[in-house]
Amino acid sequence: MASPPPSSSIAKGGDGIITTLHPDIIRALILTRLDGPDLASTACVSSYLRSLSTEENLWRDICCSTWPSLDHPRLKQVISTFPYGHRSFFSESFPFPNPQPPKPNVRGSLALATELISAVDIYYHGNPIYSKVVEMETSSSWFLSTPFRLNLLGVDNPAPRSPIKYGSSNDDTWLKHLEENLSSSWIIVDPTREKAVNMSSKRAVSVDRHWLTGDVQVRYGRVMEGDEGWGSSRELVACGVVVTCGEKGGEGEKMHVREVCMRMEDMDGKGLSGEESLVILERAMGSGRSWKGKGKGEKEKYEEFMAKKRERKERNSKKDRVWDLICIFSIFAACGAFWWFVLPILPSLLMKFV
């Protein structure tokens, strides 16, 4: 029976053992079977494995299998300009952005993006069912001043995708099934700064039906610190991604993605403008990344945001009622003063002018 390797070899990363294997065997039988986080961890084991684990073709295959939308000519060109190609893109897009990034004066310290690229992928049971890429010009006065909202229609998607099949006659059970099995990714890419960030939560934060059309709306959300201080309406902001699914062509038992949209809102429920949203996106791209949790806790953060939003609405309603009472009291006080002081002397004043 072979004796175990010396502890000194393990402490040095095991180069003396792993180098006995041909590099092609390691690439074909080991590295190609790893996902992105495991491949990144493998690169930290030894300098030899790092040289093999950082090859561009490995990371290109991982990125394209994780996000099918990357198979787009413009995105291929943009990713090639990143410092380490697809490896840099993966490190920007796969980990979740820090929910509490630093608060520099972004408006004054950085020029806002003049162009953004959206790479959107929707998955059902881990299999991609929808992919789309949209390029946006963000420097026009119209974009900067109007509410930030991106709508992507799914009916004209040329890529063949499998429909979502109804799995239960109980509607609540079916909606819960979608919440657990329908996932999304919405990557925003800044081609000028060579930065990217995934603005969608991995799992849904809520699922319901549209009150009028009956279509299923699956909502994904990411809550971040805003660009204003405590107590303001933009203390926290939420980036919401809504995937709308409905029946197509009277197929009955099958659903397709009709629309995917993104919107940013503050704690008053007001949609952020294009310029305000660019500030939030720039801060998200410039913040650190967290590999912990792998998406856990997003629903709780979103529910906490919605709870704070309701509390703020209630406080504002109470303030409005107080101001209404003050205005009503002021009107009655003015009428009383007129009746008490002005009315008795009004006839004598009129006689002077007659």
Side-chain angles (χ1 to χ4, degrees):
M1 186 175 190
S3 59
S7 59
S8 60
S9 297
I10 299 175
K12 293 179 181 180
D15 274 353
I17 300 174
I18 199 68
T19 52
T20 59
L21 295 176
H22 195 279
D24 291 342
I25 296 178
I26 298 176
R27 292 190 189 97
L29 301 182
I30 300 178
L31 300 183
T32 56
R33 300 174 183 268
L34 302 179
D35 58 12
D38 290 338
L39 186 60
S41 299
T42 302
C44 300
V45 173
S46 69
S47 58
Y48 178 68
L49 284 178
R50 178 176 177 80
S51 65
L52 298 178
S53 301
T54 55
E55 294 181 357
E56 171 67 8
N57 63 320
L58 288 173
W59 287 102
R60 181 177 60 249
D61 293 343
I62 287 177
C63 286
C64 291
S65 61
T66 305
W67 304 293
S69 59
L70 299 189
D71 190 22
H72 187 277
R74 180 67 200 286
L75 278 176
K76 289 180 180 179
Q77 183 273 323
V78 170
I79 294 175
S80 66
T81 65
F82 278 52
Y84 300 101
H86 284 81
R87 181 159 62 99
S88 294
F89 183 85
F90 188 91
S91 67
E92 294 275 348
S93 304
F94 184 84
F96 299 106
N98 188 347
Q100 297 180 340
K103 291 187 175 181
N105 184 7
V106 178
R107 296 175 194 250
S109 61
L110 287 176
L112 298 180
T114 58
E115 180 188 13
L116 293 176
I117 303 175
S118 291
V120 183
D121 295 285
I122 309 298
Y123 312 86
Y124 181 58
H125 284 303
N127 300 315
I129 61 172
Y130 174 95
S131 297
K132 200 156 192 175
V133 175
V134 175
E135 302 176 48
M136 302 172 291
E137 191 271 322
T138 60
S139 60
S140 66
S141 58
W142 178 85
F143 177 88
L144 295 174
S145 59
T146 56
F148 178 82
R149 184 182 177 92
L150 304 177
N151 287 63
L152 308 182
L153 300 179
V155 294
D156 59 347
N157 185 15
R161 293 292 184 261
S162 300
I164 304 171
K165 297 182 180 180
Y166 284 111
S168 173
S169 58
N170 185 290
D171 194 62
D172 292 337
T173 303
W174 168 241
L175 295 181
K176 182 66 175 178
H177 170 81
L178 286 182
E179 180 180 345
E180 296 174 349
N181 294 282
L182 196 69
S183 57
S184 77
S185 169
W186 191 313
I187 300 175
I188 301 289
V189 183
D190 184 344
T192 304
R193 295 177 57 207
E194 300 169 1
K195 289 287 186 178
V197 64
N198 198 330
M199 296 302 295
S200 173
S201 59
K202 186 176 181 181
R203 298 299 178 187
V205 296
S206 68
V207 181
D208 51 30
R209 286 191 179 274
H210 191 275
W211 66 273
L212 179 61
T213 63
D215 289 342
V216 177
Q217 293 185 320
V218 187
R219 180 178 295 274
Y220 304 83
R222 187 172 299 286
V223 178
M224 300 166 291
E225 286 196 359
D227 58 344
E228 294 183 358
W230 181 86
S232 68
S233 62
R234 292 211 297 272
E235 174 189 353
L236 295 174
V237 297
C239 177
V241 175
V242 178
V243 179
T244 303
C245 302
E247 297 179 7
K248 181 179 179 182
E251 295 180 8
E253 296 299 320
K254 298 180 181 179
M255 301 183 70
H256 297 258
V257 175
R258 291 188 184 275
E259 181 186 40
V260 186
C261 71
M262 174 188 286
R263 178 177 179 267
M264 289 194 184
E265 64 176 6
D266 61 16
M267 297 181 68
D268 285 338
K270 177 185 176 183
L272 272 61
S273 67
E275 182 178 7
E276 294 166 343
S277 299
L278 285 179
V279 171
I280 300 300
L281 289 173
E282 294 288 351
R283 293 181 62 236
M285 290 182 183
S287 68
R289 298 292 187 267
S290 174
W291 292 80
K292 296 180 179 180
K294 294 186 178 181
K296 295 180 180 179
E298 295 155 351
K299 184 175 181 178
E300 290 78 6
K301 292 176 183 177
Y302 190 82
E303 290 175 346
E304 181 181 354
F305 172 83
M306 296 302 294
K308 291 183 177 180
K309 182 178 172 181
R310 289 190 294 269
E311 292 174 2
R312 183 178 176 84
K313 183 178 181 180
E314 292 175 0
R315 287 199 304 268
N316 291 338
S317 298
K318 291 180 180 179
K319 290 179 181 178
D320 291 340
R321 288 196 293 269
V322 170
W323 280 111
D324 289 341
L325 292 175
I326 292 175
C327 291
I328 293 173
F329 178 79
S330 300
I331 292 173
F332 277 104
C335 293
F338 177 83
W339 181 270
W340 185 263
F341 295 105
V342 178
L343 196 60
I345 64 174
L346 185 60
S348 60
L349 291 175
L350 293 176
M351 291 298 293
K352 291 181 180 180
F353 293 98
V354 175

